Amino acid sequence: EDQVTQSPEALRLQEGESSSLNCSYTVSGLRGLFWYRQDPGKGPEFLFTLYSAGEEKEKERLKATLTKKESFLHITAPKPEDSATYLCAVQGSDSNYQLIWGAGTKLIIKP
Amino acid sequence: GAGVSQSPSNKVTEKGKDVELRCDPISGHTALYWYRQSLGQGLEFLIYFQGNSAPDKSGLPSDRFSAERTGGSVSTLTIQRTQQEDSAVYLCASSAMGGMNQPQHFGDGTRLSIL
């Protein structure tokens, strides 16, 4: 069964304290792995798509990496405005469009 | 507008009433998705529209749920005889085309509360 697990459920960091969020997945043939950011009361906002193991993408203080079993979202020197819930989703080869979503990691950056 | 628009943003109704939720996708996007998001849960797929093809309704939780998409643009999700377990945030997303690893762009959702 296709599955996505994100850890930790919640993470509290001090401003400037770098860390990583994890997305572990089980899927029959990965077509793509997606990272989104969701602020309270808002819809998810697209961040990155990763397609194959070894791929990396960066945006400001965020860097996403991918292996055959998991993806990491590295946050370098975070600021309070990086506080949000980060969602991971995967698309497997048995679906042309359906995504399997993780429950998210709630990130809180304290000033 | 540039983004996906959903209305209403909040809806409170009594158990047993019918509700209609509206989604206006990004202009030119042919694929449209409805999801349900409950606290602490991943997004639950409800229904998918792609162009003029028959929709994938496989995620609808019961026959009280239905959706339509008129003219390949605006979509309406209808919940009949609402139950308390229907309380959730209903999210709509669109993408440039279905599949092909296209990212989905989301509206801000409708927060539905059933009393």
Side-chain angles (χ1 to χ4, degrees), chain B residues 8-47:
Chain B
S9 54
N10 287 282
K11 178 72 176 179
V12 180
T13 192
E14 293 179 347
K15 176 182 172 182
K17 300 286 189 182
D18 297 352
V19 295
E20 281 191 358
L21 313 180
R22 176 188 167 104
C23 173
D24 205 337
I26 293 172
S27 178
H29 279 192
T30 59
L32 187 147
Y33 308 76
W34 282 98
Y35 292 94
R36 182 165 67 178
Q37 186 175 35
S38 302
L39 197 63
Q41 306 290 321
L43 272 66
E44 177 188 3
F45 167 79
L46 297 177
I47 189 168

Side-chain angles (χ1 to χ4, degrees), chain A residues 14 26 36 49 52 58 61 69 73 85 90-91 94 96 111:
Chain A
Q14 289 294 138
T26 303
Y36 285 80
T49 308
S52 58
E58 290 189 62
R61 295 175 292 282
K69 294 184 178 181
L73 186 65
T85 296
V90 299
Q91 182 178 9
D94 59 353
N96 286 328

